[in-house]
């Protein structure tokens, strides 16, 4: 018996523990894992009758794990599996539940049925790990839509102190965004999946409430909120709404068309218009009166950008060197920056504010609600030791404002009222589930 066949035989023995997939071995080529039945998925946002439908499952790209040289998977049985890249394939090694060693031949894809724990996060779905062309590993998880929605709500909100209507509104908005985004990617011929980062929606696995009675109670409130809103989405007429959301608006939300013009031109998307946001406006006024951010839940922010940061951003924006001046050229009715003129040693450009914010870092320059620059807007920065920007709010400002949604929920607003405020002209509808 060849070494390859011996390895394959040992891999098959491990099937009894439900840990690895047995891969047939060819004398002429590397072993190929058998194809598993694909989960029942319908990524269309509408069925053949033109009715909006909800996909049963969704695939999430776990971007934070991209490039990992090894990943350890913990199973409910107590067994562990370590996956490492092996050229085009991956290799699985580890222990069975009894502690016996596990040996596996290389496979094209390591597949595990959840629940499993990976990088400290629990996933209730089908986990798949492959080698990347760029090196290292890449991982995805396919899970039920409602399980994913609960994971997003847990990642996006401070769920320990969240009011029921706040949880429900966030669940409906997250579900709507997911279905709409998948439909667009399918239309563009891109992989029909979302990422786990803020460029789509934050997802950090399942919040299962382990550890204390308090955590269990929070997990139960989260499950109840998602269950009460099951299959509910925000619609504008006969189509899904563009349910973007953000941490805090600073007093007034932004027009979808101002912040996401590409979505309008590419998909004929029609998102929400900006609306006054009273809780944020009230808190912003108090902070401005006291000339400092509040101690709890502050809206105000300040960032100090050193010459190295301006150099890096200028290179990214192809200005021929460090940014030497920043001047807003277009603002919305609330004063939010929409377009800017930036100049470097050899180039000056007009661009969307979001491009500047991306170059300087979303985590540092937190929003377009800029109240002050020092040196002033348009001033020469070439001799400045620091560019200080101060503003309020966090995020792009479109749609649901998470900070004020919390205040509205605590004031007795229902989830439907919160959503109709931030997405004016829409309604909440419970749609059909896609056929299996």
């Amino acid at each position: 018996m060849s070494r390859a066949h011996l390895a394959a035989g040992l891999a098959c023995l491990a099937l009894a523990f439900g840990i690895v997939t047995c891969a047939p071995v060819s004398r002429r080529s590397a072993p190929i894992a058998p194809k598993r039945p694909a989960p029942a998925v319908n990524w269309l946002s509408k069925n053949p009758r033109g009715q909006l439908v909800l996909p049963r499952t969704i695939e999430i790209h776990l971007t934070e794990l991209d490039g990992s040289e090894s990943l350890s998977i913990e199973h409910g049985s107590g067994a562990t599996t370590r996956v490492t890249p092996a050229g085009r394939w991956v290799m699985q090694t580890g222990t069975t539940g009894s502690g016996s060693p596990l040996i596996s031949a290389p496979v094209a894809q390591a597949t595990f049925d959840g629940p499993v724990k990976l990088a400290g996060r629990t996933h209730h779905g089908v986990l798949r790990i492959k080698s990347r062309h760029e090196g290292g590993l890449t991982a995805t998880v396919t899970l039920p839509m409602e399980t994913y929605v609960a994971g997003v709500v847990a990642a996006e909100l401070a769920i320990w102190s969240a009011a029921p209507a706040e949880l429900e509104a966030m669940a409906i908005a997250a579900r709507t965004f997911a279905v709409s985004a998948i439909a667009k990617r399918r239309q563009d011929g891109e992989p029909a999946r979302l990422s786990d980062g803020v460029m789509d929606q934050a997802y950090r696995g399942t919040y299962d409430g382990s550890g204390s009675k308090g955590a269990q109670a929070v997990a139960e409130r989260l499950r109840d909120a998602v269950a009460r809103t099951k299959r509910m989405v925000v619609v504008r007429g006969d189509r899904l709404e563009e349910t973007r959301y953000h941490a805090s608006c600073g007093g007034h939300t932004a027009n979808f068309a101002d912040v996401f013009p590409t979505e309008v031109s590419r998909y004929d998307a029609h998102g929400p218009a900006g609306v006054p946001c009273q809780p944020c406006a009230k808190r912003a006024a108090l902070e401005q009166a006291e000339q400092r951010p509040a101690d709890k839940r502050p809206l105000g922010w300040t960032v100090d950008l050193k010459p190295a940061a301006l150099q890096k951003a200028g290179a990214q924006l192809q200005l021929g060197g460090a940014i030497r001046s920043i001047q807003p050229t277009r603002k919305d009715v609330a004063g939010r920056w929409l377009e800017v003129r930036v100049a470097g040693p050899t180039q000056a450009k007009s661009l969307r504010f979001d491009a500047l914010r991306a170059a300087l870092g979303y985590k540092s320059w937190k929003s377009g609600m800029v109240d002050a620059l020092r040196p002033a807007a348009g001033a020469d920065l070439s001799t400045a030791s620091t560019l200080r920007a101060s503003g309020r709010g966090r995020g792009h400002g479109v749609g649901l404002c998470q900070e004020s949604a919390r205040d509205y929920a605590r004031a007795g607003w229902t989830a439907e009222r919160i959503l109709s405020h931030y997405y004016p002209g829409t309604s909440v509808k419970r749609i059909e589930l896609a056929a299996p």
Side-chain angles (χ1 to χ4, degrees):
M1 180 180 290
S2 69
R3 292 182 179 179
H5 280 81
L6 177 60
L10 291 172
C12 290
L13 290 175
L15 281 172
F17 299 95
I19 299 174
V20 298
T21 301
C22 179
V25 178
S26 168
R27 293 177 181 270
R28 298 183 180 179
S29 62
I32 300 176
K35 292 183 178 179
R36 294 172 59 89
V41 176
N42 179 0
W43 295 121
L44 289 173
S45 58
K46 292 187 178 182
N47 64 16
R49 297 190 301 277
Q51 297 172 313
L52 290 170
V53 294
L54 185 76
R56 292 174 178 267
T57 62
I58 188 166
E59 182 181 15
I60 308 301
H61 177 196
L62 305 179
T63 56
E64 292 184 2
L65 303 179
D66 277 350
S68 298
E69 288 302 322
S70 69
L71 292 172
S72 293
I73 295 90
E74 301 175 35
H75 308 269
S77 63
T80 62
T81 307
R82 182 169 175 262
V83 180
T84 54
R88 294 174 52 200
W89 317 99
V90 294
M91 178 73 80
Q92 302 171 133
T93 57
T95 61
T96 65
S98 62
S100 302
L102 165 69
I103 302 174
S104 172
V107 293
Q109 173 179 267
T111 303
F112 309 94
D113 292 327
V116 294
K117 182 170 286 188
L118 176 62
R121 297 174 181 174
T122 301
H123 300 283
H124 286 75
V126 179
L127 175 68
R128 296 179 176 86
I129 302 174
K130 300 179 182 179
S131 287
R132 291 199 319 161
H133 293 301
E134 305 91 333
L137 300 168
T138 185
T140 63
V141 61
T142 301
L143 66 166
M145 175 64 77
E146 301 303 329
T147 303
Y148 166 70
V149 169
V152 171
V153 175
E156 289 283 352
L157 298 180
I159 57 176
W160 277 74
S161 54
E166 178 187 355
L167 296 171
E168 293 168 12
M170 187 70 248
I172 297 169
R175 187 182 296 110
T176 309
F177 176 88
V179 180
S180 176
I182 286 296
K184 291 174 185 175
R185 284 166 205 185
R186 191 175 189 276
Q187 174 184 321
D188 289 343
E190 298 176 0
R193 66 188 184 197
L194 299 183
S195 72
D196 60 351
V198 295
M199 297 310 290
D200 280 329
Q201 301 187 113
Y203 166 77
R204 303 190 186 98
T206 301
Y207 181 84
D208 55 13
S210 59
S212 68
K213 290 185 178 180
Q216 293 171 14
V218 171
E220 184 175 355
R221 290 202 302 271
L222 173 61
R223 288 192 295 267
D224 288 347
V226 174
R228 285 192 297 271
T229 66
K230 187 175 182 179
R231 305 198 327 268
M232 294 175 72
V233 294
V234 183
V235 296
R236 183 178 296 276
D238 62 350
R239 62 188 296 172
L240 294 170
E241 172 67 329
E242 298 289 338
T243 52
R244 305 304 170 98
Y245 52 89
H246 57 281
S248 58
C249 68
H252 198 290
T253 64
N255 291 330
F256 175 84
D258 284 336
V259 179
F260 299 108
T262 303
E263 296 281 316
V264 177
S265 60
R266 188 169 185 175
Y267 303 108
D268 189 31
H270 300 283
V275 295
C277 186
Q278 293 301 326
C280 267
K282 182 177 179 180
R283 289 164 55 195
L286 289 174
E287 289 187 353
Q288 290 172 348
E290 296 182 1
Q291 297 184 343
R292 67 180 184 87
D295 294 330
K296 295 182 179 180
R297 299 172 62 196
L299 292 185
W301 54 265
T302 298
V303 59
D304 290 326
L305 298 168
K306 301 297 184 182
L310 298 178
Q311 177 70 37
K312 181 179 178 181
Q316 183 173 329
L317 296 172
Q318 299 179 338
L319 301 177
I323 295 175
R324 290 191 174 180
S325 71
I326 301 174
Q327 178 69 55
T329 56
R330 180 173 170 241
K331 302 179 183 180
D332 68 9
V333 295
R336 180 180 285 104
W337 288 16
L338 299 175
E339 296 176 3
V340 293
R341 180 78 173 172
V342 294
T346 63
Q347 296 288 331
K349 293 183 177 181
S350 294
L351 43 82
R352 298 198 57 76
F353 168 71
D354 187 68
L356 173 64
R357 187 177 167 221
L360 292 171
Y362 286 113
K363 291 183 179 180
S364 58
W365 196 305
K366 299 185 182 298
S367 77
M369 284 288 212
V370 182
D371 294 323
L373 285 186
R374 186 183 302 171
D380 184 3
L381 305 177
S382 59
T383 60
S385 61
T386 301
L387 170 63
R388 169 166 287 192
S390 299
R392 53 204 151 88
R394 288 166 176 77
H396 50 64
V398 175
L400 184 143
C401 170
Q402 292 171 326
E403 277 288 338
S404 288
R406 166 162 295 198
D407 292 324
Y408 282 136
R410 290 175 174 176
W413 285 28
T414 64
E416 289 83 354
R417 185 178 178 187
I418 292 171
L419 293 168
S420 66
H421 174 71
Y422 287 114
Y423 307 105
T426 67
S427 60
V428 174
K429 179 180 181 181
R430 199 181 298 272
I431 62 176
E432 297 300 317
L433 194 63

